[in-house]
Amino acid sequence: MSLRVLVVDDQGIVRAGFAAVIDAEDDMTVVGEAGDGAEAVRLAAELAPDVVLMDVRMPELDGIAATRIITGRENAPRVLVLTTFDLDVYVFDALRAGASGFLLKDVRPAELLDGIRVVAAGESVLAPSATRRLIGHYASGTAVADTGDGSNPRELDSLTGSQRGVLELLATGLNNAEIAAELGITVGTVKSHVNALLRKLGLRDRVQATILAYDLGLARPNPPGAHL
C-alpha cells in the first residue's frame, strides 16, 4: 500500500518538483498539494494523508501553526517540515508543534524520500545541522524547558527501569539497533520499550521523547566535538 503524501509549499514550482520526486516512487503517492497553511489544514482533514511535507513560511497560516493544528487532531498524519531557513526558532517551534522531522530544502532526493518513509513508520528525522544546534542549546541552557504536552516529571514514575534506560539512550540520538547493542537486548525488545514509554508519557514520537528527556535532565548533551 502506497504512502499518501500531502505536499505543502507556497511556491508552485517547488510543490511540483517535490511531487514529481515522490510520485516516481512505487511506494508513495501524492494525494494533494496546498499553497498555504490554511489549505494544508483543510486538505489534511479531507484527504487523510500518512505524511504532510510542510513548508514553514507561507501566507494565510504559517507551517508551524498549521502543523500544530494538524497534529492536534485524532489519527493525525506525520508532519515532515522542509524549509530553506536553517534557523533555531524554526527547528524548536516545528518540533514543539508536533512535527516528526525537520529537513532543509537542499536535501538530496534520496534523503527526502527516506525521511518520508522514516516519519511514516513512526520514527523521527532531523537535518544534521538541526540536531547539532538542538543539542547545543540544551548544553548552553538556552532552550526553553516547556514540552507543551502536559507531561511532568511525576509521569516518569510510570516507567520501568528498562524503559527509562531506553529513553535516556534514545535522547542521545541512538537508533533502535544501537540501543539494543548498548543494553544487550534485542531490537524487538527496544521497540516494545519505546512504544510503551511513548504511550505512558503521552508522547507522539521519538522527537517529543527526546525533548522531554532533555527538559527533565535525563539526557546530557555530547561533549564538544563528539559525534551526534
Side-chain angles (χ1 to χ4, degrees):
M1 184 175 178
S2 294
L3 292 176
R4 297 166 56 82
V5 182
L6 172 62
V7 179
V8 184
D9 196 289
D10 64 339
Q11 298 184 48
I13 192 165
V14 174
R15 290 198 309 273
F18 288 148
V21 170
I22 294 167
D23 272 333
E25 297 298 294
D26 294 335
D27 62 337
M28 297 183 192
T29 301
V30 174
V31 295
E33 300 180 24
D36 59 62
E39 188 178 15
V41 169
R42 178 177 61 81
L43 290 180
E46 292 180 1
L47 303 175
D50 299 302
V51 176
V52 178
L53 194 62
M54 181 74 75
D55 189 20
V56 173
R57 298 182 65 174
M58 296 183 293
E60 300 297 329
L61 188 70
D62 66 49
I64 303 300
T67 294
R68 186 173 293 108
I69 294 170
I70 291 171
T71 59
R73 294 169 170 168
E74 187 175 358
N75 299 318
R78 300 285 174 172
V79 176
L80 177 58
V81 172
L82 202 64
T83 181
T84 305
F85 305 95
D86 187 18
L87 301 177
D88 292 342
V89 64
Y90 290 151
V91 177
F92 298 134
D93 287 353
L95 298 182
R96 293 197 184 282
S100 295
F102 183 98
L103 293 175
L104 299 180
K105 286 185 179 178
D106 62 0
V107 67
R108 292 180 298 178
E111 293 173 330
L112 170 62
L113 295 170
D114 285 345
I116 293 172
R117 295 186 181 100
V118 166
V119 298
E123 301 288 339
S124 56
V125 59
L126 288 176
S129 61
T131 301
R132 285 194 298 271
R133 289 181 296 104
L134 182 65
I135 301 303
H137 271 244
Y138 278 103
S140 65
T142 55
V144 179
D146 175 14
T147 62
D149 55 21
S151 295
N152 62 71
R154 290 190 300 276
E155 292 179 335
L156 295 177
D157 293 339
S158 66
L159 301 184
T160 66
S162 295
Q163 291 164 358
R164 184 162 177 149
V166 168
L167 174 59
E168 292 172 359
L169 291 174
L170 179 156
T172 67
L174 298 185
N175 60 34
N176 287 347
E178 291 167 335
I179 293 174
E182 183 76 17
L183 297 178
I185 57 180
T186 67
V187 172
T189 300
V190 173
K191 290 181 179 179
S192 295
H193 286 325
V194 171
N195 289 335
L197 70 89
L198 292 179
R199 184 180 66 255
K200 288 181 177 180
L201 297 175
L203 303 175
R204 182 178 300 106
D205 52 32
R206 297 167 75 105
V207 169
Q208 287 194 334
T210 297
I211 291 174
L212 179 62
Y214 276 96
D215 282 343
L216 301 182
L218 296 181
R220 294 178 179 275
N222 290 321
H227 175 71
L228 295 174

